[in-house]
Amino acid sequence: MAEERRFLSASGVPIALRRRQHSASCRELAVRGPRLQLRSLSAATSAVWLAAYGLFALSENSMVLSAAIFITLIGLIIYLHFVKIDQESLLVIGSLGIQVTSSYASGKESTTFIEMGQVKDVVINEAIHMQKVIYYLCILLQDPEDPQGISEVVPLFQSSKPRLDCLIEVYKSCQEILEQRKTAPQSS
Amino acid sequence: NSPAPLPERAIYGFALFLGSWFGFILYLIWAYIPETWLFSLGLTYWPQKYWAVALPVYLLVTVGIGYILLFGINMMSTAPLNSTHTITDNFAKKQQQKKFQEEAIPALRDIPISEVNRMFFLPEK
């Protein structure tokens, strides 16, 4: 069962949240950002090439033009492979753990798995980020020595930065699965 | 420690007022009167007039950079999103739990973030 809803990110771009329930204790939540727009790509390319042509008109050195083409190509490849994240997904499996995947525009996927024994809770935290206060979802990891302590905070959905309404949906879905930990018999 | 006017404060204020006027007139004399006139008066060991322009410029540039520096220091000391300082701190970890008394207002304490989230975002059934 899959459903998709539209939301806004913290900076105002439209994002889509897709929820899939694989079984009673397994849920997948994916947040998709907008694809790379043709108009922003052509605007950036034209700006760089106009600046390079201006430099060429000033300096009469034709290497400037070839350098500009080279920079544009390499910059686009680096942007697609390392910066532009298309989809971030969260897979919560009740007794096993939580898997966080980021898919880049070039097709690269980077995955992190956190096993359920280390997960203390999934909460919505608010913090100061670059002159704004934003809500963000994060996984709190358990401190092995102190049962009440928190050893690490893993922030989720860092590049799509959904707003509070989307985060509440994700939070409720995660809590439904995490609550089953308490009612189910503990087995180590 | 009250801010009320006292005789000593009036004297300090007046001394500062006279001192600052004296300093300003001295600075104007140093900056504007030609060196030959000062030499003929016998005042030969004063700093170069270059500094009469350079020091104010240094001061203003320092003030301008100070704005940017303060902004940058603030941004650097803000805890990043993945640090535990956004969730708790030393005082909250070491707080003592007071015993719950019937019909009394509960004692002030730092509520853990999981409890706060459950209260805000999970609707009561």
Side-chain angles (χ1 to χ4, degrees):
Chain A
M1 152 186 119
E3 51 174 65
E4 185 159 320
R5 284 182 60 181
R6 297 202 184 283
F7 291 99
L8 282 182
S9 85
S11 45
V13 301
I15 56 174
L17 169 72
R18 200 185 52 176
R19 260 201 302 214
R20 292 181 63 178
Q21 172 144 350
H22 296 286
S23 84
S25 62
C26 177
R27 293 251 175 99
E28 183 178 0
L29 300 130
V31 172
R32 251 186 333 127
R35 296 279 187 279
L36 181 65
Q37 308 275 20
L38 185 61
R39 53 170 180 248
S40 53
L41 177 63
S42 13
T45 311
S46 325
V48 172
W49 286 359
L50 269 174
Y53 189 70
L55 270 178
F56 167 68
L58 277 173
S59 67
E60 302 289 326
N61 184 5
S62 66
M63 282 295 287
V64 174
L65 296 175
S66 20
I69 296 177
F70 198 58
I71 287 174
T72 316
L73 275 175
I74 299 290
L76 182 65
I77 291 178
I78 290 180
Y79 177 70
L80 290 180
H81 195 67
F82 293 108
V83 174
K84 178 99 185 60
I85 294 184
D86 268 345
Q87 171 172 300
E88 287 164 307
S89 80
L90 190 68
L91 177 68
V92 185
I93 306 177
S95 48
L96 198 60
I98 301 181
Q99 176 169 287
V100 182
T101 316
S102 304
S103 323
Y104 291 81
S106 64
K108 167 172 110 164
E109 285 198 4
S110 116
T111 316
T112 314
F113 179 76
I114 304 167
E115 61 162 330
M116 211 36 119
Q118 289 180 344
V119 169
K120 183 166 188 288
D121 203 359
V122 171
V123 298
I124 298 180
N125 192 16
E126 43 191 336
I128 301 175
H129 174 74
M130 302 282 275
Q131 294 86 46
K132 270 201 285 208
V133 176
I134 57 165
Y135 288 102
Y136 65 104
L137 197 72
C138 55
I139 305 178
L140 304 177
L141 298 187
Q142 193 113 29
D143 196 1
E145 296 106 40
D146 177 17
Q148 301 294 326
I150 295 165
S151 76
E152 217 180 299
V153 172
V154 177
L156 303 173
F157 302 125
Q158 286 290 84
S159 84
S160 43
K161 289 202 178 53
R163 288 192 178 168
L164 190 62
D165 43 7
C166 179
L167 288 180
I168 293 181
E169 295 293 332
V170 180
Y171 174 74
K172 283 189 202 163
S173 296
C174 291
Q175 285 296 321
E176 278 167 27
I177 305 225
L178 290 178
E179 267 164 8
Q180 296 168 3
R181 281 195 298 183
K182 291 183 215 123
T183 53
Q186 295 288 341
S187 58
S188 53
Chain B
N1 291 350
S2 70
L6 296 172
E8 297 95 33
R9 289 178 180 171
I11 296 174
Y12 297 153
F14 189 59
L16 270 176
F17 169 72
L18 285 181
S20 59
W21 263 113
F22 176 69
F24 184 53
I25 302 290
L26 197 65
Y27 172 75
L28 286 180
I29 291 175
W30 169 44
Y32 279 109
I33 296 188
E35 277 211 324
T36 48
W37 294 18
L38 291 176
F39 285 170
S40 68
L41 282 174
L43 307 162
T44 54
Y45 206 59
W46 280 17
Q48 274 188 329
K49 282 176 186 291
Y50 161 79
W51 293 108
V53 179
L55 284 177
V57 173
Y58 272 128
L59 198 67
L60 290 176
V61 170
T62 306
V63 169
I65 289 184
Y67 272 112
I68 302 174
L69 197 72
L70 192 66
F71 192 66
I73 289 178
N74 262 333
M75 281 179 75
M76 276 175 58
S77 359
T78 309
L81 291 187
N82 63 346
S83 93
T84 53
H85 292 286
T86 54
I87 307 267
T88 182
D89 66 353
N90 275 336
F91 298 102
K93 282 184 201 154
K94 296 200 178 90
Q95 62 182 344
Q96 287 129 354
Q97 311 274 356
K98 291 218 176 92
K99 270 201 324 217
F100 176 68
Q101 293 168 331
E102 281 292 331
E103 305 213 346
I105 300 176
L108 197 66
R109 69 181 178 104
D110 202 24
I111 305 178
I113 187 170
S114 312
E115 219 174 296
V116 172
N117 268 22
R118 267 191 288 270
M119 199 161 46
F120 276 154
F121 302 126
L122 292 180
E124 292 295 310
K125 296 200 179 86

